[in-house]
Amino acid sequence: MPLKLKHLLGIQELAIDQIQLILETAESFREISTRPIKKVPTLRGKTVINLFFEASTRTRTSFEIAAKRLSADAINISASTSSVVKGETLHDTAQNLQAMAPDVIVIRHSSSGAPHQLARICDAAIVNAGDGAHEHPTQALLDAFTILDRKKRLEKLKVAIVGDIAHSRVARSNCLLLGKMGAHVTVCAPPTLLPLAFDRTLELVQPASAPGSLKVTHDMDEALQDADVVMMLRIQLERQQETFFPSVREYFRFYGLSAERMRAARPDAIIMHPGPINRGVEIASDVADGPYSVILDQVTSGVAVRMAVLFLLTGGNKDETTG
Ligand code: CP
């Protein structure tokens, strides 16, 4: 089955069957990373450019590994070593990269909508690897893949997303995906870290026909009550021009995840975090490294999910995934 999508710009644009197709394709690619020789010829002759205007460890590395495990040629460009430092615009950068005929351009940018701009200029498939506080679709997909691995379903799961909702593209993409797939999501943040426009996300997640639900609270104990999944988010100081809470100590007291606080969640709850984690700020070290944490499983999932995305966007068909 083909994906019937030219670009992956956000979860908002994805239909439920497209989300399912990506997750099923990732499942069939998962095993490749466990082989002694972790490489199949599936994307031989294809070129993937990773164009990163913001720092990244997990996303950039896993897109590169995903491309290489599928035998594509992977080229990494970071803004700090590109002609962007000489004043070249995003538009000109994209036109010049397109002139070298890549098949996929993976872009991370601090501006919301930057991948959409590239999609208008380039023939290559564009993948949004995080645009400002807007969306991070492959993160939400790998999070769903990780949850499915542990819980075998998304529908009717109770998911708490806690932290800096205002600046988080991860929160937005996860709310959209989990809502579409029928989960019940509670987002929790101090009032200063919840965007005024969050009602718009509520509308997107909760059209009359949507199976899932989304609600907002400022009380972490309420958010965690009987949760199946607890997803913690980093305070994104790089996107904050002002102080949104009195002190780190104060923040942890009200919104940090400790072992004691986890007792409100279900006994088999899993703890997630997209990384990078700030130990002692939004999550205690013993919880991040503890038995309920699937934080490193999320990173492992990222490779399979990004293999699936690259494969499907270059015209791959799920029934032809083995190599
Ligand atoms: N989760 C995530 O996007 O991590 P990086 O910023 O390291 O890519």
PDB file of all heavy atoms in Angstrom, residues 52 54-62 108 129-130 136 138-139 142-143 169-170 234 238 273-276 298-299 306, ligand 1:
ATOM      1  N   PHE A  52      19.865  20.830   9.015  1.00  0.00           N
ATOM      2  CA  PHE A  52      19.505  21.163  10.399  1.00  0.00           C
ATOM      3  C   PHE A  52      19.980  22.563  10.761  1.00  0.00           C
ATOM      4  O   PHE A  52      21.173  22.824  10.832  1.00  0.00           O
ATOM      5  CB  PHE A  52      20.058  20.106  11.368  1.00  0.00           C
ATOM      6  CG  PHE A  52      19.155  18.901  11.474  1.00  0.00           C
ATOM      7  CD1 PHE A  52      18.896  18.100  10.365  1.00  0.00           C
ATOM      8  CD2 PHE A  52      18.537  18.585  12.670  1.00  0.00           C
ATOM      9  CE1 PHE A  52      18.033  17.010  10.449  1.00  0.00           C
ATOM     10  CE2 PHE A  52      17.676  17.501  12.770  1.00  0.00           C
ATOM     11  CZ  PHE A  52      17.427  16.709  11.659  1.00  0.00           C
ATOM     12  N   GLU A  54      18.876  23.844  13.650  1.00  0.00           N
ATOM     13  CA  GLU A  54      18.862  23.825  15.118  1.00  0.00           C
ATOM     14  C   GLU A  54      19.606  22.582  15.591  1.00  0.00           C
ATOM     15  O   GLU A  54      19.707  21.594  14.848  1.00  0.00           O
ATOM     16  CB  GLU A  54      17.422  23.724  15.652  1.00  0.00           C
ATOM     17  CG  GLU A  54      16.637  24.998  15.651  1.00  0.00           C
ATOM     18  CD  GLU A  54      15.335  24.829  16.428  1.00  0.00           C
ATOM     19  OE1 GLU A  54      14.746  23.734  16.414  1.00  0.00           O
ATOM     20  OE2 GLU A  54      14.917  25.805  17.058  1.00  0.00           O
ATOM     21  N   ALA A  55      20.070  22.625  16.833  1.00  0.00           N
ATOM     22  CA  ALA A  55      20.803  21.493  17.400  1.00  0.00           C
ATOM     23  C   ALA A  55      19.931  20.235  17.458  1.00  0.00           C
ATOM     24  O   ALA A  55      18.710  20.323  17.594  1.00  0.00           O
ATOM     25  CB  ALA A  55      21.275  21.857  18.811  1.00  0.00           C
ATOM     26  N   SER A  56      20.572  19.105  17.312  1.00  0.00           N
ATOM     27  CA  SER A  56      19.870  17.826  17.412  1.00  0.00           C
ATOM     28  C   SER A  56      20.880  16.716  17.652  1.00  0.00           C
ATOM     29  O   SER A  56      21.957  16.723  17.044  1.00  0.00           O
ATOM     30  CB  SER A  56      19.098  17.537  16.115  1.00  0.00           C
ATOM     31  OG  SER A  56      18.617  16.211  16.114  1.00  0.00           O
ATOM     32  N   THR A  57      20.534  15.796  18.521  1.00  0.00           N
ATOM     33  CA  THR A  57      21.325  14.554  18.656  1.00  0.00           C
ATOM     34  C   THR A  57      20.522  13.392  18.080  1.00  0.00           C
ATOM     35  O   THR A  57      20.942  12.728  17.132  1.00  0.00           O
ATOM     36  CB  THR A  57      21.658  14.286  20.143  1.00  0.00           C
ATOM     37  OG1 THR A  57      22.479  15.355  20.602  1.00  0.00           O
ATOM     38  CG2 THR A  57      22.390  12.959  20.316  1.00  0.00           C
ATOM     39  N   ARG A  58      19.329  13.154  18.645  1.00  0.00           N
ATOM     40  CA  ARG A  58      18.543  11.988  18.291  1.00  0.00           C
ATOM     41  C   ARG A  58      17.983  12.041  16.865  1.00  0.00           C
ATOM     42  O   ARG A  58      18.147  11.096  16.086  1.00  0.00           O
ATOM     43  CB  ARG A  58      17.356  11.829  19.269  1.00  0.00           C
ATOM     44  CG  ARG A  58      17.728  11.278  20.613  1.00  0.00           C
ATOM     45  CD  ARG A  58      16.866  11.886  21.700  1.00  0.00           C
ATOM     46  NE  ARG A  58      17.294  13.261  21.876  1.00  0.00           N
ATOM     47  CZ  ARG A  58      18.241  13.633  22.757  1.00  0.00           C
ATOM     48  NH1 ARG A  58      18.722  12.743  23.569  1.00  0.00           N
ATOM     49  NH2 ARG A  58      18.660  14.877  22.833  1.00  0.00           N
ATOM     50  N   THR A  59      17.339  13.140  16.511  1.00  0.00           N
ATOM     51  CA  THR A  59      16.622  13.179  15.233  1.00  0.00           C
ATOM     52  C   THR A  59      17.597  13.117  14.063  1.00  0.00           C
ATOM     53  O   THR A  59      17.411  12.330  13.127  1.00  0.00           O
ATOM     54  CB  THR A  59      15.769  14.465  15.163  1.00  0.00           C
ATOM     55  OG1 THR A  59      15.018  14.578  16.368  1.00  0.00           O
ATOM     56  CG2 THR A  59      14.829  14.435  13.976  1.00  0.00           C
ATOM     57  N   ARG A  60      18.631  13.932  14.130  1.00  0.00           N
ATOM     58  CA  ARG A  60      19.560  13.958  13.002  1.00  0.00           C
ATOM     59  C   ARG A  60      20.302  12.630  12.859  1.00  0.00           C
ATOM     60  O   ARG A  60      20.425  12.088  11.763  1.00  0.00           O
ATOM     61  CB  ARG A  60      20.555  15.111  13.133  1.00  0.00           C
ATOM     62  CG  ARG A  60      21.308  15.319  11.824  1.00  0.00           C
ATOM     63  CD  ARG A  60      22.136  16.555  11.831  1.00  0.00           C
ATOM     64  NE  ARG A  60      23.326  16.379  12.640  1.00  0.00           N
ATOM     65  CZ  ARG A  60      24.344  17.235  12.650  1.00  0.00           C
ATOM     66  NH1 ARG A  60      24.290  18.323  11.916  1.00  0.00           N
ATOM     67  NH2 ARG A  60      25.381  17.026  13.396  1.00  0.00           N
ATOM     68  N   THR A  61      20.764  12.100  13.984  1.00  0.00           N
ATOM     69  CA  THR A  61      21.507  10.831  13.918  1.00  0.00           C
ATOM     70  C   THR A  61      20.612   9.707  13.419  1.00  0.00           C
ATOM     71  O   THR A  61      21.031   8.884  12.596  1.00  0.00           O
ATOM     72  CB  THR A  61      22.070  10.467  15.313  1.00  0.00           C
ATOM     73  OG1 THR A  61      22.760  11.602  15.826  1.00  0.00           O
ATOM     74  CG2 THR A  61      23.012   9.294  15.234  1.00  0.00           C
ATOM     75  N   SER A  62      19.390   9.660  13.910  1.00  0.00           N
ATOM     76  CA  SER A  62      18.539   8.528  13.509  1.00  0.00           C
ATOM     77  C   SER A  62      18.071   8.656  12.066  1.00  0.00           C
ATOM     78  O   SER A  62      17.901   7.640  11.382  1.00  0.00           O
ATOM     79  CB  SER A  62      17.360   8.328  14.468  1.00  0.00           C
ATOM     80  OG  SER A  62      16.546   9.454  14.498  1.00  0.00           O
ATOM     81  N   ARG A 108      15.122  20.695   9.949  1.00  0.00           N
ATOM     82  CA  ARG A 108      14.764  21.233  11.273  1.00  0.00           C
ATOM     83  C   ARG A 108      15.087  22.716  11.251  1.00  0.00           C
ATOM     84  O   ARG A 108      16.174  23.127  10.816  1.00  0.00           O
ATOM     85  CB  ARG A 108      15.553  20.542  12.382  1.00  0.00           C
ATOM     86  CG  ARG A 108      15.376  21.255  13.724  1.00  0.00           C
ATOM     87  CD  ARG A 108      15.936  20.496  14.873  1.00  0.00           C
ATOM     88  NE  ARG A 108      15.100  19.338  15.193  1.00  0.00           N
ATOM     89  CZ  ARG A 108      15.259  18.587  16.286  1.00  0.00           C
ATOM     90  NH1 ARG A 108      16.218  18.870  17.150  1.00  0.00           N
ATOM     91  NH2 ARG A 108      14.469  17.557  16.513  1.00  0.00           N
ATOM     92  N   ALA A 129      11.514  17.819  10.518  1.00  0.00           N
ATOM     93  CA  ALA A 129      12.205  17.232  11.680  1.00  0.00           C
ATOM     94  C   ALA A 129      12.094  18.156  12.892  1.00  0.00           C
ATOM     95  O   ALA A 129      12.905  18.073  13.816  1.00  0.00           O
ATOM     96  CB  ALA A 129      13.664  16.977  11.331  1.00  0.00           C
ATOM     97  N   GLY A 130      11.079  19.033  12.869  1.00  0.00           N
ATOM     98  CA  GLY A 130      10.849  19.975  13.966  1.00  0.00           C
ATOM     99  C   GLY A 130      10.915  21.394  13.454  1.00  0.00           C
ATOM    100  O   GLY A 130      11.971  21.829  13.003  1.00  0.00           O
ATOM    101  N   HIS A 136       6.522  18.250  15.247  1.00  0.00           N
ATOM    102  CA  HIS A 136       7.672  17.329  15.169  1.00  0.00           C
ATOM    103  C   HIS A 136       7.049  15.959  14.866  1.00  0.00           C
ATOM    104  O   HIS A 136       6.973  15.089  15.734  1.00  0.00           O
ATOM    105  CB  HIS A 136       8.427  17.342  16.505  1.00  0.00           C
ATOM    106  CG  HIS A 136       9.769  16.676  16.474  1.00  0.00           C
ATOM    107  ND1 HIS A 136      10.222  15.898  15.422  1.00  0.00           N
ATOM    108  CD2 HIS A 136      10.775  16.658  17.404  1.00  0.00           C
ATOM    109  CE1 HIS A 136      11.430  15.448  15.699  1.00  0.00           C
ATOM    110  NE2 HIS A 136      11.789  15.900  16.888  1.00  0.00           N
ATOM    111  N   THR A 138       7.746  13.147  13.192  1.00  0.00           N
ATOM    112  CA  THR A 138       8.368  11.820  13.372  1.00  0.00           C
ATOM    113  C   THR A 138       8.559  11.494  14.853  1.00  0.00           C
ATOM    114  O   THR A 138       8.616  10.323  15.223  1.00  0.00           O
ATOM    115  CB  THR A 138       9.705  11.686  12.599  1.00  0.00           C
ATOM    116  OG1 THR A 138      10.609  12.723  13.013  1.00  0.00           O
ATOM    117  CG2 THR A 138       9.482  11.748  11.100  1.00  0.00           C
ATOM    118  N   GLN A 139       8.644  12.520  15.715  1.00  0.00           N
ATOM    119  CA  GLN A 139       8.723  12.255  17.152  1.00  0.00           C
ATOM    120  C   GLN A 139       7.396  11.647  17.631  1.00  0.00           C
ATOM    121  O   GLN A 139       7.394  10.659  18.366  1.00  0.00           O
ATOM    122  CB  GLN A 139       9.024  13.541  17.925  1.00  0.00           C
ATOM    123  CG  GLN A 139       9.119  13.343  19.428  1.00  0.00           C
ATOM    124  CD  GLN A 139      10.351  12.540  19.852  1.00  0.00           C
ATOM    125  OE1 GLN A 139      11.438  12.790  19.352  1.00  0.00           O
ATOM    126  NE2 GLN A 139      10.193  11.594  20.755  1.00  0.00           N
ATOM    127  N   LEU A 142       7.216   8.062  16.401  1.00  0.00           N
ATOM    128  CA  LEU A 142       8.056   7.112  17.147  1.00  0.00           C
ATOM    129  C   LEU A 142       7.543   6.934  18.564  1.00  0.00           C
ATOM    130  O   LEU A 142       7.686   5.854  19.164  1.00  0.00           O
ATOM    131  CB  LEU A 142       9.534   7.542  17.090  1.00  0.00           C
ATOM    132  CG  LEU A 142      10.024   8.719  17.939  1.00  0.00           C
ATOM    133  CD1 LEU A 142      10.411   8.300  19.336  1.00  0.00           C
ATOM    134  CD2 LEU A 142      11.221   9.370  17.265  1.00  0.00           C
ATOM    135  N   ASP A 143       6.917   7.968  19.112  1.00  0.00           N
ATOM    136  CA  ASP A 143       6.307   7.823  20.439  1.00  0.00           C
ATOM    137  C   ASP A 143       5.139   6.832  20.374  1.00  0.00           C
ATOM    138  O   ASP A 143       4.994   5.966  21.239  1.00  0.00           O
ATOM    139  CB  ASP A 143       5.831   9.188  20.964  1.00  0.00           C
ATOM    140  CG  ASP A 143       6.997  10.097  21.353  1.00  0.00           C
ATOM    141  OD1 ASP A 143       8.113   9.578  21.544  1.00  0.00           O
ATOM    142  OD2 ASP A 143       6.801  11.315  21.448  1.00  0.00           O
ATOM    143  N   ARG A 169       6.763  21.545  20.229  1.00  0.00           N
ATOM    144  CA  ARG A 169       6.232  20.941  18.995  1.00  0.00           C
ATOM    145  C   ARG A 169       5.923  19.463  19.224  1.00  0.00           C
ATOM    146  O   ARG A 169       5.058  18.886  18.575  1.00  0.00           O
ATOM    147  CB  ARG A 169       7.243  21.129  17.867  1.00  0.00           C
ATOM    148  CG  ARG A 169       8.655  20.650  18.183  1.00  0.00           C
ATOM    149  CD  ARG A 169       9.665  21.261  17.247  1.00  0.00           C
ATOM    150  NE  ARG A 169      11.038  20.899  17.547  1.00  0.00           N
ATOM    151  CZ  ARG A 169      12.095  21.620  17.192  1.00  0.00           C
ATOM    152  NH1 ARG A 169      11.930  22.761  16.558  1.00  0.00           N
ATOM    153  NH2 ARG A 169      13.318  21.216  17.439  1.00  0.00           N
ATOM    154  N   VAL A 170       6.637  18.849  20.181  1.00  0.00           N
ATOM    155  CA  VAL A 170       6.383  17.438  20.493  1.00  0.00           C
ATOM    156  C   VAL A 170       4.984  17.278  21.090  1.00  0.00           C
ATOM    157  O   VAL A 170       4.238  16.363  20.730  1.00  0.00           O
ATOM    158  CB  VAL A 170       7.462  16.895  21.463  1.00  0.00           C
ATOM    159  CG1 VAL A 170       7.129  15.477  21.920  1.00  0.00           C
ATOM    160  CG2 VAL A 170       8.839  16.933  20.806  1.00  0.00           C
ATOM    161  N   ARG A 234      10.729  18.744  28.244  1.00  0.00           N
ATOM    162  CA  ARG A 234      11.812  19.630  28.703  1.00  0.00           C
ATOM    163  C   ARG A 234      11.345  21.089  28.729  1.00  0.00           C
ATOM    164  O   ARG A 234      10.524  21.492  27.887  1.00  0.00           O
ATOM    165  CB  ARG A 234      12.972  19.483  27.691  1.00  0.00           C
ATOM    166  CG  ARG A 234      14.210  20.251  27.974  1.00  0.00           C
ATOM    167  CD  ARG A 234      15.264  19.872  26.939  1.00  0.00           C
ATOM    168  NE  ARG A 234      14.919  20.287  25.590  1.00  0.00           N
ATOM    169  CZ  ARG A 234      15.255  21.455  25.041  1.00  0.00           C
ATOM    170  NH1 ARG A 234      15.942  22.330  25.747  1.00  0.00           N
ATOM    171  NH2 ARG A 234      14.919  21.749  23.808  1.00  0.00           N
ATOM    172  N   GLU A 238      15.630  27.827  25.361  1.00  0.00           N
ATOM    173  CA  GLU A 238      16.083  28.502  24.130  1.00  0.00           C
ATOM    174  C   GLU A 238      14.938  29.224  23.415  1.00  0.00           C
ATOM    175  O   GLU A 238      15.174  30.059  22.549  1.00  0.00           O
ATOM    176  CB  GLU A 238      16.781  27.513  23.184  1.00  0.00           C
ATOM    177  CG  GLU A 238      15.888  26.511  22.456  1.00  0.00           C
ATOM    178  CD  GLU A 238      15.604  25.237  23.260  1.00  0.00           C
ATOM    179  OE1 GLU A 238      15.674  25.292  24.502  1.00  0.00           O
ATOM    180  OE2 GLU A 238      15.293  24.206  22.641  1.00  0.00           O
ATOM    181  N   HIS A 273       9.964  10.485  27.422  1.00  0.00           N
ATOM    182  CA  HIS A 273      10.542  11.831  27.310  1.00  0.00           C
ATOM    183  C   HIS A 273      11.228  11.891  25.948  1.00  0.00           C
ATOM    184  O   HIS A 273      11.995  10.983  25.610  1.00  0.00           O
ATOM    185  CB  HIS A 273      11.539  12.074  28.449  1.00  0.00           C
ATOM    186  CG  HIS A 273      11.953  13.505  28.623  1.00  0.00           C
ATOM    187  ND1 HIS A 273      12.471  14.265  27.584  1.00  0.00           N
ATOM    188  CD2 HIS A 273      11.938  14.322  29.710  1.00  0.00           C
ATOM    189  CE1 HIS A 273      12.744  15.478  28.032  1.00  0.00           C
ATOM    190  NE2 HIS A 273      12.417  15.549  29.315  1.00  0.00           N
ATOM    191  N   PRO A 274      10.968  12.931  25.162  1.00  0.00           N
ATOM    192  CA  PRO A 274      11.592  12.962  23.825  1.00  0.00           C
ATOM    193  C   PRO A 274      13.096  13.220  23.868  1.00  0.00           C
ATOM    194  O   PRO A 274      13.792  12.980  22.872  1.00  0.00           O
ATOM    195  CB  PRO A 274      10.867  14.122  23.127  1.00  0.00           C
ATOM    196  CG  PRO A 274      10.404  15.011  24.246  1.00  0.00           C
ATOM    197  CD  PRO A 274      10.087  14.080  25.390  1.00  0.00           C
ATOM    198  N   GLY A 275      13.601  13.708  25.007  1.00  0.00           N
ATOM    199  CA  GLY A 275      15.000  14.090  25.110  1.00  0.00           C
ATOM    200  C   GLY A 275      15.251  15.417  24.405  1.00  0.00           C
ATOM    201  O   GLY A 275      14.473  15.803  23.539  1.00  0.00           O
ATOM    202  N   PRO A 276      16.316  16.114  24.754  1.00  0.00           N
ATOM    203  CA  PRO A 276      17.204  15.790  25.858  1.00  0.00           C
ATOM    204  C   PRO A 276      16.524  16.046  27.206  1.00  0.00           C
ATOM    205  O   PRO A 276      15.716  16.955  27.311  1.00  0.00           O
ATOM    206  CB  PRO A 276      18.376  16.758  25.637  1.00  0.00           C
ATOM    207  CG  PRO A 276      17.809  17.906  24.881  1.00  0.00           C
ATOM    208  CD  PRO A 276      16.720  17.353  24.033  1.00  0.00           C
ATOM    209  N   GLN A 298      12.413   4.826  23.033  1.00  0.00           N
ATOM    210  CA  GLN A 298      11.931   5.829  22.075  1.00  0.00           C
ATOM    211  C   GLN A 298      13.014   6.121  21.034  1.00  0.00           C
ATOM    212  O   GLN A 298      12.728   6.262  19.849  1.00  0.00           O
ATOM    213  CB  GLN A 298      11.553   7.133  22.795  1.00  0.00           C
ATOM    214  CG  GLN A 298      10.313   7.020  23.665  1.00  0.00           C
ATOM    215  CD  GLN A 298      10.119   8.275  24.511  1.00  0.00           C
ATOM    216  OE1 GLN A 298      10.459   8.307  25.676  1.00  0.00           O
ATOM    217  NE2 GLN A 298       9.571   9.323  23.926  1.00  0.00           N
ATOM    218  N   VAL A 299      14.244   6.220  21.498  1.00  0.00           N
ATOM    219  CA  VAL A 299      15.348   6.514  20.571  1.00  0.00           C
ATOM    220  C   VAL A 299      15.520   5.366  19.583  1.00  0.00           C
ATOM    221  O   VAL A 299      15.678   5.581  18.372  1.00  0.00           O
ATOM    222  CB  VAL A 299      16.655   6.773  21.358  1.00  0.00           C
ATOM    223  CG1 VAL A 299      17.792   7.097  20.399  1.00  0.00           C
ATOM    224  CG2 VAL A 299      16.462   7.912  22.349  1.00  0.00           C
ATOM    225  N   ARG A 306      11.824   6.266  11.151  1.00  0.00           N
ATOM    226  CA  ARG A 306      12.398   7.148  10.119  1.00  0.00           C
ATOM    227  C   ARG A 306      12.777   6.346   8.882  1.00  0.00           C
ATOM    228  O   ARG A 306      12.706   6.871   7.759  1.00  0.00           O
ATOM    229  CB  ARG A 306      13.543   7.955  10.717  1.00  0.00           C
ATOM    230  CG  ARG A 306      12.949   9.032  11.635  1.00  0.00           C
ATOM    231  CD  ARG A 306      13.864   9.698  12.576  1.00  0.00           C
ATOM    232  NE  ARG A 306      13.102  10.699  13.328  1.00  0.00           N
ATOM    233  CZ  ARG A 306      13.264  10.964  14.622  1.00  0.00           C
ATOM    234  NH1 ARG A 306      14.169  10.311  15.331  1.00  0.00           N
ATOM    235  NH2 ARG A 306      12.520  11.880  15.216  1.00  0.00           N
TER     236      ARG A 306
HETATM  237  N1   CP B   1      13.664  14.391  20.466  1.00  0.00           N
HETATM  238  C1   CP B   1      14.458  15.196  19.742  1.00  0.00           C
HETATM  239  O1   CP B   1      14.000  15.860  18.786  1.00  0.00           O
HETATM  240  O2   CP B   1      15.778  15.177  20.111  1.00  0.00           O
HETATM  241  P1   CP B   1      16.922  15.992  19.365  1.00  0.00           P
HETATM  242  O3   CP B   1      16.653  17.453  19.571  1.00  0.00           O
HETATM  243  O4   CP B   1      18.211  15.542  19.995  1.00  0.00           O
HETATM  244  O5   CP B   1      16.845  15.651  17.903  1.00  0.00           O
END
